[in-house]
Amino acid sequence: MKIIWIIGGPGCGKGTQCKRIIEKYGFYHISSGDLLREEVARGSARDAFLQETMSKGLFVSTDIVLDLIKERMQKIKQEKKTEAGFLIDGYPRELGQALLFEKNVCPVDLIIFFDASNEVLEKRLLGRAEILNRVDDNEETIKNRIKLFNMNRHIEIINHYKEKVVNIDANGNADEIFNEVSKVIDILLNKS
């Protein structure tokens, strides 16, 4: 099974592109944000802390997120819900998380970095906020999330894993972006 990390700023189109990858290639999508929202909805012991952290646009601790991802991957493998592999969306956010993932879970095969301007990110997030009404999609939180992303922690991942990283211009439309994504995944799968 292949492991692909999907990274990029909030609103760069990670979720949209992951849906298309799933449809075409059969990967199982694990979104760190979705896992955290599920945990909050379940009313777990961590619920209040997670909800407060996320509503402020802050990052949840690495240990919590990595545990949730690892648990989901193990469950999916046991249930044999994918043969292609996993898309890990929104994680890792910094090099330390990447190294912990590879140490505690498994190695990554490919990293797709969706690169979009701050203006595009903000416009897309504000549009999504009107439609989905998510707690972490209000104007103040959006600006904070983009600001946190621009602290460039992802640059360390890109530099450390440069042989595995493909930078995709995510300023265009979803079809153009997916065309580039497909080329990259086709190459990965044909290496097997």
Side-chain angles (χ1 to χ4, degrees):
M1 281 197 225
K2 299 293 184 186
I3 304 297
I4 302 175
W5 291 342
I6 305 292
I7 61 175
C12 69
K14 295 184 297 285
T16 299
Q17 294 302 316
C18 284
K19 286 178 190 167
R20 290 175 170 221
I21 294 168
I22 293 161
E23 288 172 13
K24 182 172 180 177
Y25 298 100
F27 280 82
Y28 187 89
H29 179 221
I30 298 177
S31 161
S32 58
D34 289 348
L35 288 176
L36 290 166
R37 283 184 285 279
E38 286 173 24
E39 192 75 6
V40 167
R42 246 194 317 271
S44 73
R46 300 181 276 215
D47 175 30
F49 168 75
L50 290 175
Q51 189 161 356
E52 180 183 345
T53 303
M54 291 165 57
S55 68
K56 293 178 181 175
L58 301 174
F59 296 138
V60 174
S61 85
T62 298
D63 293 339
I64 292 172
V65 177
L66 189 57
D67 284 348
L68 290 171
I69 291 171
K70 189 174 181 178
E71 288 166 14
R72 181 62 56 92
M73 287 177 72
Q74 289 170 342
K75 180 180 179 197
I76 297 310
K77 283 180 185 177
Q78 287 172 349
E79 295 173 359
K80 296 183 180 3
K81 288 189 176 177
T82 182
E83 291 186 22
F86 293 94
L87 299 174
I88 311 297
D89 169 4
Y91 187 94
R93 294 185 188 275
E94 56 191 29
L95 182 58
Q97 292 176 338
L99 298 173
L100 279 174
F101 183 97
E102 288 203 302
K103 178 183 176 190
N104 297 326
V105 182
C106 63
V108 65
D109 296 292
L110 174 67
I111 302 166
I112 299 176
F113 172 56
F114 290 110
D115 193 6
S117 70
N118 289 345
E119 294 77 22
V120 167
L121 299 178
E122 190 170 335
K123 181 180 175 186
R124 288 180 183 165
L125 289 172
L126 288 171
R128 183 175 80 184
E130 290 178 18
I131 297 167
L132 298 179
N133 199 23
R134 282 182 15 186
V135 68
D136 56 339
D137 274 349
N138 59 65
E139 191 167 352
E140 181 182 337
T141 302
I142 286 168
K143 288 182 188 231
N144 192 36
R145 290 174 64 206
I146 292 171
K147 180 181 171 188
L148 284 171
F149 177 75
N150 286 327
M151 294 174 124
N152 292 325
R153 293 183 183 124
H154 61 284
I155 298 300
E156 292 179 338
I157 295 170
I158 291 167
N159 290 337
H160 183 80
Y161 292 97
K162 57 184 162 242
E163 310 80 35
K164 296 182 179 186
V165 174
V166 175
N167 188 337
I168 296 195
D169 181 351
N171 290 302
N173 70 50
D175 292 334
E176 294 167 342
I177 296 166
F178 189 65
N179 185 41
E180 295 305 309
V181 169
S182 293
K183 290 176 190 175
V184 170
I185 294 177
D186 287 344
I187 291 168
L188 173 70
L189 296 179
N190 287 331
K191 286 182 184 176
S192 302

